[in-house]
Amino acid sequence: MSLAVVFARASLGIAAPLVTVEAHLANGLPAFNIVGLPETTVKEARDRVRSALLNSGFEFPARRITVNLAPADLPKEGGRFDLPIAMAVLAASGQIPTVNLGKLEFLGELALTGALRPIKGALPAVLAARDNQRVIILPLDNGDEAGMIQPSPALLASHLLTITAWLRQEAELITPSAIEEQEPEQISDLCDVIGQAGGKRALEIAAAGQHNLLLLGPPGTGKSMLASRLPGLLPTMNEEEALEIAAIRSICGVNLEPHTWRLRAFRQPHHSSSAVALVGGGSSPRPGEISLAHNGVLFLDELTEFERRVLDALREPLETHVISIARAARSVTFPACFQLIAAMNPSPCGHYQEGYSRSSPEQILRYLNKISGPFLDRFDLSVEVSLLPPGELSQPRAKAESSLDVRKRVLAARERQLKRAGKTNARLSAAELERYCPLSQEDAQFLEQALHRMKLSIRAWHKLIRVARTIADLEHKTDINRQHLIEALGYRAMDRLLQQLQF
């Protein structure tokens, strides 16, 4: 047989489209051509496949070999096509049986010895193979990713010879082991934070309703410490959410931790990060930090040190929960449903209170204006984390609430939200706010008057109602009352600071 067809998977965003690998052996001068929009790494497969076949004891056909990767308009990249190309050449030259090839998919990079090396993006390929009811053969080192799906449609091999022996029914391939989840140790606990009752309360509300939170205060008051405690308050991910973020990490080449794969991500990029690093991009689009924080937390410390254009690039993903990256050759969309937590100093010197600050009101206002108003408007809560009062450190302290205690209330509030609307309060649309968060006429007038006094936008109106709804859920209240609105208005520290500086 001089023609053979083998199936593989490309990588396009978090999808894994099917690629048909066709190998044809024709008479003529010996040549090895790969067509179908291959990039440089795929073209180099010619030399890797030739050496791998020869070093594994196979005959490399001395004929005109044409390998077509279909569809022809889909860009192909990476070493993942080495194994399917090798299998197609072996099948076309009659060196392996072809009976069951139509039910199989192959992915793997070949060493010159014929050994298989791991690839990026194995998990999306396994998911796609399962949906198409095919068995996918992967390198042994991709076993952790394949084991996340049970029953797994994958089989694992360490060498090309193992696969060919399996096709001849002379050997067995390895079935991925199921992942055994472990309860992680609670290292960062909320009870370690001294004082800051207001910050802890805001953190609890943010965790319960999935709200974006801005922590504002002098250096060393515990802003970063508070933010790092947020993951310990959040519910673990369900299987669908966990597989989605695992697929994103897989295509980025980030090491997966199988035993803690259901924990929500906590990403903390440095303030020197570029817009591409934060939102994703590149000539071959790759996910950025906001996609790696999908279903988790993105923490931006020293917020004013980030470039303004970098922060403004987050505005659309915060609203749409996806990021679309368009390039001349392709356009991909990555999920980006993350919870934003940020921390910043209130002035260039770190303080703004009289007796501490060395900055004038004009300098403070110029410093705060590094962040655009529309970006600040994306925060549901902004809370001041102030210096501890004298005597707080030296006096005996009662044991504070642990993260576990607070988490119980957060989970109960989340359960009420999901039962009511199928989503957290921060994700409610304007129409859903009218349905699930009605205000009395008096409370609506009160909130509108407060909105005009503080010069807030319509977006702030919606955010205040969402926060008030979360506060009511934490108190097991069916309806929002005036006290909930007053507390929600109290979490607008940045608006009050800007208003104070402008007068």
Side-chain angles (χ1 to χ4, degrees), residues 77-345:
E77 61 178 358
R80 58 174 48 217
F81 296 104
D82 291 3
L83 178 59
I85 289 173
M87 299 305 296
V89 171
L90 289 174
S93 59
Q95 298 183 67
I96 60 172
T98 60
V99 177
N100 296 318
L101 287 183
K103 302 176 183 178
L104 302 175
E105 296 179 6
F106 300 88
L107 282 181
E109 181 179 336
L110 285 174
L112 299 186
T113 60
L116 292 179
R117 290 177 175 153
I119 61 168
K120 294 180 181 179
L123 184 56
V126 175
L127 290 168
R130 180 192 65 179
D131 295 341
N132 286 271
Q133 298 181 346
R134 287 198 183 97
V135 175
I136 185 167
I137 298 178
L138 293 171
L140 185 62
D141 290 341
N142 288 120
D144 284 344
E145 295 177 53
M148 291 179 176
I149 304 168
Q150 292 297 327
S152 178
L155 293 174
L156 308 176
S158 59
H159 199 281
L160 180 63
L161 286 173
T162 311
I163 300 174
T164 56
W166 176 75
L167 289 172
R168 298 190 190 99
Q169 299 182 349
E170 298 171 357
E172 293 293 330
L173 298 183
I174 299 172
T175 302
S177 302
I179 299 300
E180 296 181 4
E181 298 180 37
Q182 297 177 351
E183 189 68 26
E185 298 181 3
Q186 188 70 35
I187 300 175
S188 301
D189 200 291
L190 199 60
C191 65
D192 298 332
V193 182
I194 300 174
Q196 306 301 352
K200 292 178 181 179
R201 171 65 173 170
L203 198 68
E204 179 181 346
I205 295 170
Q210 207 175 0
H211 301 290
N212 299 326
L213 171 64
L214 174 62
L215 300 170
L216 178 70
T221 53
K223 301 185 297 296
S224 301
M225 196 174 186
L226 279 169
S228 66
R229 269 61 182 171
L230 181 59
L233 307 181
L234 299 175
T236 54
M237 293 185 286
N238 58 38
E239 185 176 357
E240 183 181 352
E241 292 174 326
L243 285 176
E244 196 170 22
I245 184 61
I248 296 171
R249 292 176 182 173
S250 176
I251 63 177
C252 290
V254 177
N255 290 332
L256 298 174
E257 298 180 4
H259 301 300
T260 57
W261 69 299
R262 285 182 185 263
L263 294 183
R264 297 188 183 273
F266 183 80
R267 304 292 300 185
Q268 186 177 351
H270 192 261
H271 60 74
S272 61
S273 300
S274 66
V276 171
L278 212 57
V279 303
S283 55
S284 267
R286 286 289 182 267
E289 289 291 335
I290 62 173
S291 294
L292 288 169
H294 180 60
N295 292 327
V297 179
L298 178 69
F299 176 46
L300 302 183
D301 202 3
E302 304 297 342
L303 188 65
T304 50
E305 301 304 319
F306 283 83
E307 289 187 29
R308 182 167 177 154
R309 65 179 185 85
V310 172
L311 295 179
D312 284 342
L314 300 180
R315 283 157 52 182
E316 290 84 358
L318 281 168
E319 296 293 330
T320 62
H321 311 308
V322 295
I323 178 70
S324 297
I325 302 170
R327 295 292 181 267
R330 70 190 80 174
S331 178
V332 298
T333 299
F334 296 112
C337 184
F338 60 96
Q339 185 174 359
L340 178 63
I341 308 295
M344 60 176 287
N345 297 326

Side-chain angles (χ1 to χ4, degrees), residues 210 241 414-425 427-428 432 435-436:
Q210 207 175 0
E241 292 174 326
R414 285 271 184 122
E415 185 178 351
R416 280 188 285 275
Q417 295 167 41
L418 296 177
K419 185 177 180 180
R420 179 176 57 240
K423 60 179 70 173
T424 56
N425 290 333
R427 306 298 182 233
L428 294 175
E432 289 169 331
R435 182 188 305 173
Y436 300 119

Side-chain angles (χ1 to χ4, degrees), residues 400-473:
E401 273 192 313
S402 67
S403 292
L404 185 60
D405 296 330
V406 178
R407 187 172 185 265
K408 291 177 181 177
R409 296 197 296 269
V410 169
L411 294 180
R414 285 271 184 122
E415 185 178 351
R416 280 188 285 275
Q417 295 167 41
L418 296 177
K419 185 177 180 180
R420 179 176 57 240
K423 60 179 70 173
T424 56
N425 290 333
R427 306 298 182 233
L428 294 175
S429 66
E432 289 169 331
L433 282 177
E434 293 183 6
R435 182 188 305 173
Y436 300 119
C437 309
L439 299 179
S440 66
Q441 184 65 30
E442 295 78 9
D443 287 343
Q445 291 175 353
F446 164 78
L447 185 59
E448 185 175 10
Q449 290 170 3
L451 206 72
H452 286 295
R453 283 197 303 270
M454 299 176 71
K455 298 182 179 178
L456 301 179
S457 66
I458 300 300
R459 182 185 283 115
W461 165 276
H462 291 149
K463 290 188 178 297
L464 284 166
I465 297 177
R466 293 187 184 105
V467 172
R469 178 66 267 175
T470 301
I471 296 171
D473 287 332

Side-chain angles (χ1 to χ4, degrees), residues 42-113:
V42 182
K43 292 178 181 178
E44 291 172 347
R46 293 176 298 188
D47 300 315
R48 292 193 295 271
V49 168
R50 180 186 290 108
S51 296
L53 293 182
L54 292 174
N55 289 325
S56 298
F58 293 103
E59 176 190 352
F60 189 79
R63 302 176 66 183
R64 185 175 184 84
I65 303 172
T66 302
V67 173
N68 179 41
L69 306 177
D73 59 345
L74 176 68
K76 323 296 190 307
E77 61 178 358
R80 58 174 48 217
F81 296 104
D82 291 3
L83 178 59
I85 289 173
M87 299 305 296
V89 171
L90 289 174
S93 59
Q95 298 183 67
I96 60 172
T98 60
V99 177
N100 296 318
L101 287 183
K103 302 176 183 178
L104 302 175
E105 296 179 6
F106 300 88
L107 282 181
E109 181 179 336
L110 285 174
L112 299 186
T113 60

Side-chain angles (χ1 to χ4, degrees), residues 322-385:
V322 295
I323 178 70
S324 297
I325 302 170
R327 295 292 181 267
R330 70 190 80 174
S331 178
V332 298
T333 299
F334 296 112
C337 184
F338 60 96
Q339 185 174 359
L340 178 63
I341 308 295
M344 60 176 287
N345 297 326
S347 72
C349 68
H351 301 268
Y352 66 94
Q353 295 175 340
E354 189 175 351
Y356 291 94
S357 179
R358 303 190 307 272
S359 305
S360 67
E362 291 77 14
Q363 289 174 317
I364 296 175
L365 193 59
R366 194 179 308 118
Y367 176 78
L368 297 178
N369 281 337
K370 288 182 178 180
I371 307 171
S372 69
F375 177 73
L376 287 175
D377 214 21
R378 263 63 177 185
F379 287 98
D380 302 0
L381 307 97
S382 62
V383 62
E384 182 180 355
V385 184

